[in-house]
Amino acid sequence: MKIGFVGLGNMGGGMALNLVKGGHEVVAFDLAEDALARACAGGCSAAANAGAAVAGAEAVVTMLPAGRHVAAVYRDQLFGAVPAGTLLIDCSTIDVATAKAVAADAEARSHAMVDAPVSGGIAAAAGGTLTFMVGGTSQAFARAEPILQAMGKAVIHAGEAGSGQAAKICNNMVLGATMIATCEALALARRLGLDPQRFYDIASKASGQSWSLTSYCPLPGVGPESPADRGYEGGFAAALMLKDLKLAIAAAHGADAAVPMGSAAESLYQAFANTGGGARDFSAIIGFLDGTLPTAP
Ligand code: NAD
């Protein structure tokens, strides 16, 4: 299938190459020349601009930083350049309101559009093991599913347009809050004289168990290997967690939802970012909370 791909950064670069590996013809564009060059080295063809990347495409995939980029790229460059009926797939993590508005614009132009944000970081994007949460009609989902499968291990229909973004920010709000609760508990356990590994062994088999504890333990040397064992480098940057928490809190305000734990997590990740922690893995917040572990490399 001929696919136009716009946004070849940390995530999109790997995703585009997995489409190539899946046998698709990928015509790509990014404002950054080095990103475009990497994609071309992996088998994509370069386009001179976003409109040229999608001209004649049967499907379009975008992986851009935020809602304002997605709205501008679709409205100013893609809608006028794609053939009628083209399937549009936006994989960026953006606000629910913009996702819904852009999808409505697409529908008014007779294009099928889905929002398909991902869970999984740069390694999962490169390895083709992302999880996609998809918002859009059943027909659009059915068309998007085989394309997304070439880039991921799970493709799940969340509901109507915007539902993929809603699922993503709700999931990451749980993740942000449970990571902080896990960090607090591990730090307290240590201060109470408990061996952290012993506490891990107990909590991982008791009701304190969570993904943050047992798959991504924020203490080095405890549990399976995680970014904590690599000096909190790589993994999921605290700045990206903060971005997702801000999206969740903004959506909660619009929906009159009470999100006290999510709001606390947002404030704490903001404070952590303000001390220079934004580029570190999000589990590094344990050092900020406890004050006993290094937060700077
Ligand atoms: P990135 O900044 O590395 O990549 C974004 C790319 O978009 C850049 O290469 C940039 O040059 C390009 N771009 C921006 N405006 C453009 C335009 N008008 N036309 C063409 N290209 C344009 O970001 P990323 O880490 O790849 O993240 C992309 C999205 O995925 C974000 O919404 C992010 O929240 C989400 N996400 C990221 C991760 C992660 O671990 N990095 C994980 C899950 C979801």
Side-chain angles (χ1 to χ4, degrees):
M1 185 184 288
K2 186 171 178 191
I3 298 176
F5 202 115
V6 181
L8 305 158
N10 289 322
M11 298 293 289
M15 292 163 67
L17 297 195
N18 282 317
L19 288 176
V20 172
K21 283 183 202 149
H24 298 290
E25 178 191 346
V26 180
V27 185
F29 177 71
D30 194 294
L31 290 175
E33 282 176 18
D34 55 338
L36 186 55
R38 272 195 300 277
C40 291
C44 297
S45 317
N49 53 56
V54 304
E58 294 157 79
V60 170
V61 179
T62 50
M63 193 53 164
L64 296 161
R68 65 181 186 283
H69 307 94
V70 172
V73 166
Y74 276 95
R75 289 181 177 143
D76 302 343
Q77 298 176 71
L78 301 189
F79 283 152
V82 285
T86 304
L87 174 65
L88 309 173
I89 305 174
D90 179 42
C91 295
S92 328
T93 299
I94 68 169
D95 57 289
V96 177
T98 299
K100 284 184 177 173
V102 175
D105 288 356
E107 194 182 340
R109 292 166 178 267
S110 304
H111 300 307
M113 181 158 191
V114 295
D115 50 291
V118 305
S119 177
I122 301 164
T129 57
L130 294 166
T131 293
F132 290 91
M133 313 161 207
V134 187
T137 64
S138 300
Q139 295 89 327
F141 175 76
R143 289 176 66 191
E145 194 176 16
I147 297 170
L148 296 174
Q149 273 165 347
M151 302 183 282
K153 67 173 187 322
V155 182
I156 302 159
H157 191 194
E160 62 191 18
S163 301
Q165 299 296 348
K168 162 87 185 175
I169 57 175
C170 290
N171 179 75
N172 279 20
M173 190 173 76
V174 173
L175 178 60
T178 58
M179 177 54 79
I180 289 169
T182 302
C183 290
E184 282 178 3
L186 281 163
L188 174 62
R190 233 176 21 172
R191 283 173 184 261
L192 295 175
L194 266 169
D195 171 39
Q197 180 64 50
R198 194 62 62 89
F199 172 66
Y200 174 92
D201 292 341
I202 293 166
S204 63
K205 295 194 174 43
S207 47
Q209 190 275 336
S210 72
W211 186 89
S212 294
L213 180 69
T214 53
S215 294
Y216 214 90
C217 186
L219 268 188
V222 180
E225 201 199 330
S226 68
D229 298 303
R230 301 188 289 273
Y232 302 98
E233 298 305 317
F236 182 45
L240 286 173
M241 170 53 81
L242 178 59
K243 172 194 168 180
D244 293 353
L245 287 168
K246 283 179 192 272
L247 290 173
I249 302 314
H253 287 154
D256 289 335
V259 286
M261 303 300 286
S263 299
E266 183 209 14
S267 293
L268 286 164
Y269 273 106
Q270 184 68 69
F272 181 47
N274 291 351
T275 65
R280 313 203 73 203
D281 180 76
F282 80 116
S283 65
I285 199 166
I286 191 169
F288 172 76
L289 292 169
D290 194 36
T292 57
L293 293 165
T295 56

